Amino acid sequence: MARGVYIHIPFCHQICNYCDFNKVFFKNQPVDEYIEAVGKEIEMSVRKAPEQFQDIETIFLGGGTPTALSAEQIARLLHHINTLLPTKQLVEFSSEANPDELSADKLEALIHGGVNRLSMGVQSFDQKLLEKIGRTHSNEHVFETIKQAKKVGFENISIDLMYGLPGQSMEQWEDTLEKALELDLPHYSAYSLIVEPKTIFYIQYAKGKLNLPTEDLEADMYDLLMRRMEEKEKKQYEISNFAIEGHRSTHNKIYWDNDEYAGFGAGAHGYLMGNRYSNHGPIKKYIETIKNNEQPILHRHEVTNEEKCEEQMFLGLRKNEGVLFNEFESKLGISMKELYGKEIAKLVKEELLIEDDKGVRLSRKGRFVGNEIFQQFLLGE
């Protein structure tokens, strides 16, 4: 049964150099037709299996850029969502946003449509770095948009930051953190740059033209991030996420808990009834499939018990609370210690994991090498 719903809006007015998500330039795209297709996909899915959606806790609008839509288009999309899904019971209704696109009328459309959390892609407060990564907003856009968002009634606001960017110095990162924390928001996310295939940065990297920070500098940036957040009482609850009490991301926790969620839209991914699936990515193909009254699913994979165990570990270990013994066994029907006893003992000895009577979690040292630790729990390795 779905705990959450993800809805993908693949349109952008500017393509960022690091982004590998399914997206297209907004201009000359069938945006209105796409919104209707998303509505129809939701309607078909709910009609087919209404029990899957009766207890949803969260909805997340991602992209692409949901705020690339006009206020009228946002209102239309939210009308479909509120008509077709049980949104009155939601704990959280989030939308991603770009600071230079969130006009007053779009903010009004979002909040009147039920959205109660904004996740803004700020990435840096250094203008030269913003230009280097393909972002178009200014610091003034960020400050003014947050001011306007609070004015219309948004209290739950998060911003995304990035470190390990090409040419980024520790001084630039420290300045970004200082400016971000001066905003005193309830939630912050901060991610290190990953150079993904099919991105502009990947092409530059392959040509040897991407001046990335060293691994040691990137580790120092992460260390500074954790220290600054702790000083400002923004509690770390996941490798890359920090919040004050009551403002943790409920939707993202669904992913880290390895629970089920529905995905709608072109290129969206979902996990329902033990199956992970992904939709057709090309806009035209997605719309055509919907018009033919067919589910737009391109790939479907039934997750094996072995894969469920692996995912429970490497997703759950992202959380500060880690993976609990009783939850692992009740969900998967096998003892974590029986399955992973040797790996856990080895990582505890290396001071990368902490084990207590409740479960296992990353140590502070372990957070710096999380991906290497996660690989230890791949059963096929």
Side-chain angles (χ1 to χ4, degrees):
M1 199 175 302
R3 278 185 62 197
V5 169
Y6 173 81
I7 298 172
H8 191 71
I9 309 301
F11 308 110
C12 294
H13 291 295
Q14 173 68 26
I15 304 297
C16 299
N17 296 343
Y18 54 84
C19 181
D20 70 331
F21 292 112
N22 188 46
K23 75 281 181 188
V24 293
F25 278 110
F26 186 92
K27 191 175 181 180
N28 298 324
Q29 294 293 333
V31 180
D32 293 312
E33 197 174 0
Y34 179 81
I35 292 169
E36 297 308 309
V38 169
K40 188 172 181 181
E41 184 192 2
I42 296 172
E43 189 272 331
M44 286 192 297
S45 297
V46 173
R47 187 175 68 241
K48 182 180 180 181
E51 71 284 353
Q52 287 294 318
F53 301 93
Q54 62 188 17
D55 295 320
I56 59 170
E57 301 169 33
T58 70
I59 295 176
F60 192 99
L61 306 180
T65 318
T67 52
L69 305 180
S70 69
E72 292 76 14
Q73 289 166 338
I74 289 171
R76 184 64 182 163
L77 174 66
L78 294 174
H79 171 76
H80 286 317
I81 294 169
N82 284 298
T83 301
L84 297 166
L85 293 170
T87 54
K88 291 182 180 179
Q89 69 197 22
L90 295 179
V91 175
E92 182 182 280
F93 194 160
S94 299
S95 178
E96 290 182 345
N98 277 353
D100 53 344
E101 294 175 348
L102 263 182
S103 54
D105 58 343
K106 292 183 184 182
L107 284 165
E108 292 282 357
L110 287 166
I111 203 159
H112 287 312
V115 174
N116 58 19
R117 182 177 185 272
L118 292 177
S119 178
M120 291 174 50
V122 173
Q123 318 311 0
S124 176
F125 283 94
D126 185 284
Q127 199 62 50
K128 289 184 178 179
L129 274 178
L130 287 172
E131 292 169 5
K132 190 176 289 187
I133 65 178
R135 303 292 287 179
T136 57
H137 69 265
S138 66
N139 291 355
E140 288 68 31
H141 282 129
V142 177
F143 303 143
E144 181 59 29
T145 298
I146 290 175
K147 180 181 175 182
Q148 287 292 324
K150 290 180 177 178
K151 186 176 179 181
V152 304
F154 281 103
E155 297 176 358
N156 197 353
I157 301 171
S158 176
I159 61 173
D160 288 354
L161 304 173
M162 293 183 73
Y163 60 95
L165 297 172
Q168 187 179 30
S169 68
M170 180 61 83
E171 291 73 25
Q172 287 172 312
W173 177 232
E174 192 163 9
D175 181 66
T176 280
L177 284 176
E178 183 178 338
K179 286 184 170 64
L181 287 166
E182 282 175 358
L183 294 167
D184 195 24
L185 297 173
H187 191 283
Y188 294 87
S189 300
Y191 304 97
S192 63
L193 174 68
I194 298 175
V195 180
E196 301 282 7
K198 301 179 182 179
T199 64
I200 294 171
F201 274 171
Y202 186 82
I203 296 169
Q204 293 175 356
Y205 179 77
K207 294 179 178 179
K209 295 182 178 180
L210 199 63
N211 177 29
L212 296 175
T214 64
E215 287 185 9
D216 287 344
L217 178 54
E218 187 174 309
D220 288 343
M221 288 177 173
Y222 184 50
D223 181 69
L224 179 67
L225 166 70
M226 290 191 288
R227 287 190 285 112
R228 286 286 188 270
M229 290 291 169
E230 186 176 358
E231 289 168 6
K232 295 296 183 178
E233 299 181 342
K234 313 298 180 184
K235 184 173 176 59
Q236 185 173 19
Y237 68 98
E238 189 267 350
I239 285 179
S240 302
N241 287 272
F242 308 80
I244 63 172
E245 193 63 36
H247 286 79
R248 297 180 179 186
S249 171
T250 306
H251 185 82
N252 286 339
K253 190 173 184 296
I254 293 170
Y255 301 147
W256 304 323
D257 287 344
N258 199 26
D259 285 340
E260 296 196 344
Y261 61 96
F264 297 116
H269 293 249
Y271 181 29
L272 287 176
M273 294 179 282
N275 288 269
R276 292 197 181 276
Y277 65 91
S278 59
N279 282 350
H280 288 289
I283 310 295
K284 185 178 179 181
K285 178 67 175 177
Y286 171 79
I287 292 174
E288 285 179 351
T289 307
I290 297 291
K291 281 184 175 179
N292 290 331
N293 296 310
E294 299 172 8
Q295 293 285 346
I297 295 174
L298 176 62
H299 296 295
R300 191 190 301 273
H301 170 68
E302 185 175 352
V303 182
T304 66
N305 288 334
E306 183 176 278
E307 289 168 333
K308 288 177 182 177
C309 292
E310 295 172 344
E311 292 171 354
Q312 193 74 19
M313 293 302 293
F314 65 69
L315 290 170
L317 282 173
R318 294 191 62 90
K319 301 178 292 184
N320 271 33
E321 67 189 42
V323 186
L324 304 180
F325 292 132
N326 61 349
E327 287 187 4
F328 187 96
E329 187 163 0
S330 64
K331 192 171 184 178
L332 299 164
I334 187 171
S335 162
M336 187 200 306
K337 294 294 289 290
E338 180 183 335
L339 191 62
Y340 289 120
K342 290 181 180 178
E343 290 80 4
I344 291 170
K346 173 178 175 288
L347 292 166
V348 168
K349 185 177 181 180
E350 294 172 354
E351 299 182 340
L352 298 174
L353 277 190
I354 296 171
E355 179 184 357
D356 57 25
D357 58 348
K358 292 183 178 179
V360 294
R361 62 186 187 276
L362 292 180
S363 65
R364 194 179 193 282
K365 178 181 174 182
R367 292 176 199 166
F368 289 88
V369 289
N371 287 336
E372 295 172 28
I373 294 171
F374 303 155
Q375 289 176 12
Q376 302 298 309
F377 297 100
L378 297 177
L379 295 168
E381 295 295 307

